Amino acid sequence: MARHLRLIAALLTLGALTVTACGGTSSDGSTAPPEGDGSNPRIVVTTSILGDVTRNVVGDLATVEVIIPADTDPHDFEPSAQQAAELRDADLIIANGLLLEEGLLATLESAEADGVTLLYVGDVVDPLPWNEEGHSEGEGGGAVATPAAFTDGDEEGHSDEESHDDGEYDPHFWFDPVRVSTATGAIAEAVAQNTGLNADTLNRQAAAYQAQLAELDTALEAQFATIPAERRLLVTDHDAFGYLADRYGFEILGTVYPSGSELAEPSAGDLAALAELITETGVPAIFSENIASPELADALAAEVGNEVAVVELFSDSVGGSDSGAATYVALMRTNAERITTALG
Ligand SMILES: [Zn+2]
């Protein structure tokens, strides 16, 4: 037994030396691991998009597990038994909330009841309410809206403690990089409080990522500004792009799926009405999404006729490693390019 412990100690020392020799990332010269007891904190994130944001905050301080894989619809994703166990054993769960992960809700609630700390990021980013038609209701209200300042106010006055889980709010806040910047700060704070990882390092990494997000916002604003205002009309598979519309002055003309998720199928009448609207407005593209089959978007395009293109965007999950959308920032840039090409 004692020999075993000595062997483990020797291996740990060797491991530490290896890290010191080839690492070099520690700017303050300390070689001690961030955790006093040597155990790695378990940070589990539901969506691939928030997983990428969290990895940018955490860096190499800890491993971040993501439950919902790339190119997968988070609205109806159900966890495996192993994933449910991972969630139960987490030191911190980071979830989108606002009813995005409907299929995970029971598992999240039971983990929370077991004492796991949960950060519902959607609750702290001043989410937009859905309006009566299901689209999110921003301040701008359509095609002539200009982006708000990067440091925006909190007009709605939501308290951070308020729970937005009744389906009243649009959960797709990541299409606004300013809100993702707010989310980044909240994630850094929650990780520091619940894992014992070094708060200064987390804040520094979060700030570096926030600088990238500010750059992204500026780039998107400039790119979308090249599309004439009257052509900034989006027809998408499901109603995921309300925050993009609100921030960059688009109007959501219609969606193939009638509600905020893809849980309800459109009727033939819904599709015919949308096809007519597309014909009337001369919209040149219907945007399908990486998380779902393009079947219905294709059917809609067929109903409209040959003059409308079907173009895939990345919506509720990042894409695979060769997709050009494997990270949140890449996803936003690729979407912007495709939208600008299709509508510009
Ligand atoms: Zn969605």
Side-chain angles (χ1 to χ4, degrees), residues 60 74 97 107 129 131 133 139 202 205 215 235 249-250 260 273 286 295-296 308 315 322:
D60 52 15
T107 310
N131 68 17
E133 285 143 39
E139 311 89 49
L202 291 168
Q205 288 169 173
E215 228 171 82
V235 177
F250 287 85
I286 296 163
E295 207 176 319
L296 276 174
V308 70
S315 57
D322 298 330

Side-chain angles (χ1 to χ4, degrees), residues 75 100 172 238 260 316:
H75 293 282
L100 179 79
H172 306 88
H238 87 296
D316 293 5

Side-chain angles (χ1 to χ4, degrees), residues 71-73 237-238 256-257 262 265 287-299 310 312:
D71 293 319
T72 303
D73 186 346
D237 207 39
H238 87 296
V256 173
Y257 285 86
E262 297 189 356
E265 292 274 328
F287 294 104
S288 63
E289 297 171 25
N290 67 317
I291 60 165
S293 151
E295 207 176 319
L296 276 174
D298 288 340
V310 176
E312 187 186 76

Side-chain angles (χ1 to χ4, degrees), residues 197-216:
L197 296 177
N198 186 286
D200 291 341
T201 308
L202 291 168
N203 288 336
R204 196 170 58 239
Q205 288 169 173
Y209 188 59
Q210 285 170 323
Q212 285 185 50
L213 297 175
E215 228 171 82
L216 172 70

Side-chain angles (χ1 to χ4, degrees), residues 99-174:
L99 278 189
L100 179 79
E101 309 100 323
E102 279 193 71
L104 271 170
L105 206 57
T107 310
L108 294 177
E109 281 172 356
S110 107
E112 199 171 22
D114 283 354
V116 180
T117 304
L118 242 148
L119 172 65
Y120 284 108
V121 178
D123 283 354
V124 301
V125 296
D126 187 24
L128 295 174
W130 295 115
N131 68 17
E132 311 81 62
E133 285 143 39
H135 306 307
S136 57
E137 203 162 39
E139 311 89 49
V144 292
T146 50
F150 191 80
T151 50
D152 71 340
D154 186 12
E155 300 101 33
E156 302 285 317
H158 299 308
S159 135
D160 286 359
E161 305 304 319
E162 193 176 339
S163 174
H164 297 107
D165 61 359
D166 55 0
E168 195 188 332
Y169 293 90
D170 180 348
H172 306 88
F173 70 85
W174 58 88

